[in-house]
């Protein structure tokens, strides 16, 4: 299963919790990716997993995740201005 974990205001709110979650998910054979609306020039350097930059595009248009964990779920299907 592919789990898309938002970075800003989701992962960053409690990194220890999400690091534990990522480790458990990976141990069970799942793939976790941080998916962000940032552009690559707004790099994230401390993410625990691969970061996918959507460059302000709807996240679902870039990543085909089975599960979305996001504090602002509308960005999964909506582009940003």
């Amino acid at each position: 299963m592919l789990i898309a974990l938002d970075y800003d205001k989701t992962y960053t709110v409690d990194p220890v919790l999400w690091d534990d979650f990522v480790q458990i998910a990976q141990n069970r054979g799942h793939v976790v990716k941080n998916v962000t609306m940032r552009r690559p020039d707004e790099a994230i350097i401390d993410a625990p997993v691969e970061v996918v930059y959507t460059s302000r595009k709807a996240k679902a248009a870039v990543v085909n995740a089975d599960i979305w964990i996001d504090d602002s779920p509308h960005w999964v299907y909506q582009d940003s201005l």
Side-chain angles (χ1 to χ4, degrees):
M1 172 172 22
L2 174 57
I3 303 167
L5 175 61
D6 177 52
Y7 185 79
D8 294 300
K9 297 184 183 174
T10 302
Y11 175 81
T12 59
V13 170
D14 192 344
V16 173
L17 167 75
W18 293 114
D19 288 344
D20 289 346
F21 172 82
V22 166
Q23 187 63 51
I24 292 167
Q26 290 174 333
N27 287 346
R28 297 186 57 83
H30 304 294
V31 175
V32 181
K33 295 183 180 186
N34 280 127
V35 182
T36 180
M37 293 192 90
R38 292 185 190 199
R39 295 182 309 268
D41 64 326
E42 301 169 297
I44 295 169
I45 58 171
D46 61 346
V49 293
E50 176 188 352
V51 178
V52 178
Y53 299 92
T54 69
S55 298
R56 309 296 192 266
K57 297 292 182 190
K59 294 175 180 181
V62 179
V63 175
N64 187 21
D66 298 298
I67 294 176
W68 293 93
I69 302 172
D70 201 308
D71 68 306
S72 298
H74 59 281
W75 296 129
V76 173
Y77 297 104
Q78 178 182 332
D79 292 348
S80 177
L81 300 175

